[in-house]
Amino acid sequence: MSDRRDTEARDDTDDREKTDDREETDDRGEADDREEADDREEADDALRDDAPRDDAPRDGGSVAGGDGKGRRQAGVALVLLGLGIVAVAGFSTPWRALTGGPPDPARDFGAAQIARAQAFDAATSLPVYLSLALTVAFAGLLLATPLGARLLGRLGGPWWLRVILGVVALTAIVEAVRWPLGMWSESILREYGLSTQDWAGWAGDRLKNLGVETFLLGLTLLALVALARRVRRWWIPAAAGAFALTVVTSFGYPVVFEPLFNDFASMRQGPLRTNLLALAERDGVPVEDVLVADASRRTTALNAYVSGFGATRRIVVYDTLLRAPEREVELVVAHELGHAEHDDVLYGTLLGALGAGFGAIALYLVFPLLRRRTGVTSITDPRAVGVLMGLTTCGALLLGPAQNLVSRHIEARADVHALDLTRDPATFVAMQKRLAVTNISDLSPDAVEYVLYASHPSSPERIALARSWAALNGVPEP
């Protein structure tokens, strides 16, 4: 169970089919000669734009889009990796997890609760969609115009410094535009009693989150440009590096990044801790500790989650959740134990890592199509950072609905696991109602919001699942 919402961007196309067709053709030696000449010219342009000379790429320079043979190889690799991702997702996702009947919010929630959820959703949707629109618009400008090249062309210094400064500058521009919308959203959370932060705390958290994202993005793009300057078919090490970085980040996130936002402490000794550890032992999931996050300094929402894998795996509950009845807390943890038992974080990390590799190869193939309109001739040019950031934003938006679809099925399986472990659908329903009312969850999300943002089934869907489980297992229906 986790928080929602943050999406970025959309896609653009290009009008250079003639150039692309020429690059893709290799039936005639003359076409290949033209491609190689173009590639050498692009590398030379990048070098001239990137003095001093000792910055020059090795092995004759890297090429923005590679030669025709390289693009064919990358295209084949992209198709094969895409099929591999579909296969892994298809076989590892619990598509047939138990589902309930049609969700009926009116059965479990009062008219006032439904109206409050609808009002909150309407209030928060406007700043969220405006933020999304601004992000998409900025990405479109980076992909369809030379704006990024002109802005970043003003930066000086060696190429690696210009890459880093480019990421920081463009991120700062986007955040400056979106900052008032973030304040608007925070004001709504305060109005509805979900936020407990003052403005200094809110700004600090937002800046820390921005810093983490900028660091990871800057590291990724710096490595990518460095590879492109030294290896002609840079998509091969770039894909491998993107895979490795995703795995390492997911493994280290609980111990490196999470402490930036919360303090964690072991759950204090008492009946609840004893029951939770006994529950884990009965489930066959090795859990040495249950951590409590000081979320109450930020929110009144209830939540729990599993993060990390292997040596860094941890089960965390918000301190706000401890105010709920102990049986409900046990059911929440039973749900998280389901994630741990099925190694959902690990499988999600592997899928994300494969997707990162897919994205690196896609960048190699798509970048040449945008060179003319963006004013950047080579990916070795630090000014290419704007194009790369625009493409990354578009990729995140396009992959979001697929990730949410997989996530909803995984969450449903964890719900079934909690029911199997506790055999208490009545408490499960009570817990879901408490979560929905306290967190002001959207009880009947529209199709667009469900596809774009819903990583979990809605509360009425989860309650319907519990009733279906009760009917199948001969337990009184709650």
Side-chain angles (χ1 to χ4, degrees):
M1 305 175 184
S2 60
D3 299 330
R4 65 175 182 170
R5 300 191 185 200
D6 198 82
T7 338
E8 307 181 21
R10 213 176 171 92
D11 93 313
D12 196 311
T13 64
D14 95 65
D15 57 358
R16 297 193 58 215
E17 295 180 356
K18 293 182 180 178
T19 299
D20 188 40
D21 290 342
R22 185 191 66 205
E23 291 175 340
E24 289 296 324
T25 302
D26 82 289
D27 293 336
R28 293 173 296 177
E30 183 182 352
D32 283 338
D33 292 340
R34 284 200 304 269
E35 288 173 352
E36 292 177 5
D38 288 344
D39 291 339
R40 286 194 298 270
E41 183 179 346
E42 291 162 4
D44 290 341
D45 288 342
L47 289 176
R48 284 193 298 268
D49 190 56
D50 228 357
R53 282 292 178 181
D54 57 0
D55 278 344
R58 299 175 186 171
D59 300 327
S62 66
V63 181
D67 53 26
K69 183 178 179 181
R71 281 190 290 275
R72 287 195 302 276
Q73 292 173 340
V76 171
L78 189 72
V79 171
L80 293 177
L81 185 55
L83 292 175
I85 293 172
V86 171
V88 171
F91 285 110
S92 65
T93 302
W95 302 109
R96 296 185 179 181
L98 178 65
T99 57
D104 182 11
R107 179 175 177 178
D108 298 288
F109 299 93
Q113 293 171 331
I114 294 174
R116 178 175 170 80
Q118 291 174 338
F120 178 72
D121 178 66
T124 55
S125 291
L126 184 55
V128 167
Y129 280 127
L130 285 175
S131 179
L132 174 61
L134 288 173
T135 304
V136 171
F138 191 69
L141 288 174
L142 293 177
L143 295 177
T145 73
L147 174 65
R150 290 172 181 170
L151 290 174
L152 301 185
R154 300 174 180 272
L155 301 175
W159 70 267
W160 57 267
L161 180 59
R162 293 165 61 193
V163 169
I164 296 172
L165 293 177
V167 172
V168 173
L170 293 179
T171 302
I173 291 172
V174 174
E175 185 60 25
V177 174
R178 293 170 50 183
W179 191 273
L181 295 175
M183 295 183 68
W184 184 4
S185 294
E186 172 66 12
S187 298
I188 295 171
L189 295 179
R190 294 181 182 191
E191 179 184 347
Y192 280 84
L194 279 176
S195 176
T196 60
Q197 285 186 300
D198 57 21
W199 285 112
W202 173 83
D205 277 348
R206 191 174 179 95
L207 289 174
K208 283 188 289 187
N209 185 67
L210 185 66
V212 170
E213 293 178 353
T214 303
F215 169 76
L216 293 175
L217 180 60
L219 180 63
T220 300
L221 297 189
L222 183 63
L224 191 150
V225 174
L227 287 171
R229 293 171 66 84
R230 288 164 174 78
V231 183
R232 178 171 291 275
R233 289 173 176 78
W234 54 263
W235 59 271
I236 300 174
F243 182 97
L245 180 62
T246 302
V247 173
V248 170
T249 301
S250 179
F251 178 80
Y253 200 90
V255 295
V256 177
F257 296 111
E258 286 182 9
L260 296 174
F261 301 94
N262 287 103
D263 292 329
F264 299 90
S266 297
M267 183 176 289
R268 65 185 180 184
Q269 296 291 337
L272 178 59
R273 175 185 169 87
T274 300
N275 291 342
L276 294 179
L277 293 177
L279 188 69
E281 183 177 2
R282 188 167 79 246
D283 197 24
V285 178
V287 174
E288 296 181 1
D289 199 4
V290 178
L291 299 181
V292 179
D294 62 338
S296 58
R297 69 181 181 85
R298 175 182 299 112
T299 182
T300 59
L302 311 179
N303 198 12
Y305 63 90
V306 172
S307 63
F309 56 88
T312 65
R313 185 173 68 188
R314 48 169 44 178
I315 295 177
V316 178
V317 299
Y318 280 16
D319 56 356
T320 53
L321 185 62
L322 300 182
R323 302 167 187 168
E326 288 193 2
R327 284 295 296 165
E328 293 184 23
V329 177
E330 290 175 15
L331 257 160
V332 171
V333 173
H335 171 98
E336 303 305 330
L337 289 173
H339 287 310
E341 180 170 288
H342 292 98
D343 286 320
D344 288 337
V345 174
L346 177 58
Y347 281 109
T349 298
L350 292 177
L351 272 177
L354 290 172
F358 183 93
I361 302 173
L363 286 176
Y364 179 88
L365 294 171
V366 173
F367 184 87
L369 309 179
L370 303 171
R371 289 179 298 191
R372 177 176 295 174
R373 62 175 54 191
T374 58
V376 180
T377 59
S378 171
I379 203 169
T380 61
D381 186 342
R383 297 177 303 163
V385 163
V387 182
L388 297 176
M389 289 180 66
L391 289 172
T392 301
T393 297
C394 292
L397 179 64
L398 293 174
L399 290 177
Q403 293 171 334
N404 287 335
L405 175 64
V406 171
S407 176
R408 287 193 294 269
H409 285 276
I410 289 174
E411 295 297 336
R413 178 175 64 187
D415 283 345
V416 173
H417 182 91
L419 290 165
D420 288 339
L421 185 59
T422 63
R423 301 191 66 80
D424 190 356
T427 302
F428 182 94
V429 169
M431 177 263 293
Q432 288 296 333
K433 291 169 67 174
R434 182 182 302 276
L435 289 172
V437 172
T438 303
N439 298 351
I440 322 181
S441 302
D442 192 351
L443 301 177
S444 52
D446 62 49
V448 174
E449 288 190 351
Y450 197 71
V451 169
L452 289 179
Y453 300 122
S455 60
H456 292 58
S458 68
S459 296
E461 287 178 316
R462 302 174 87 167
I463 291 172
L465 180 149
R467 292 191 171 114
S468 294
W469 184 93
L472 289 173
N473 289 271
V475 178
E477 182 179 306

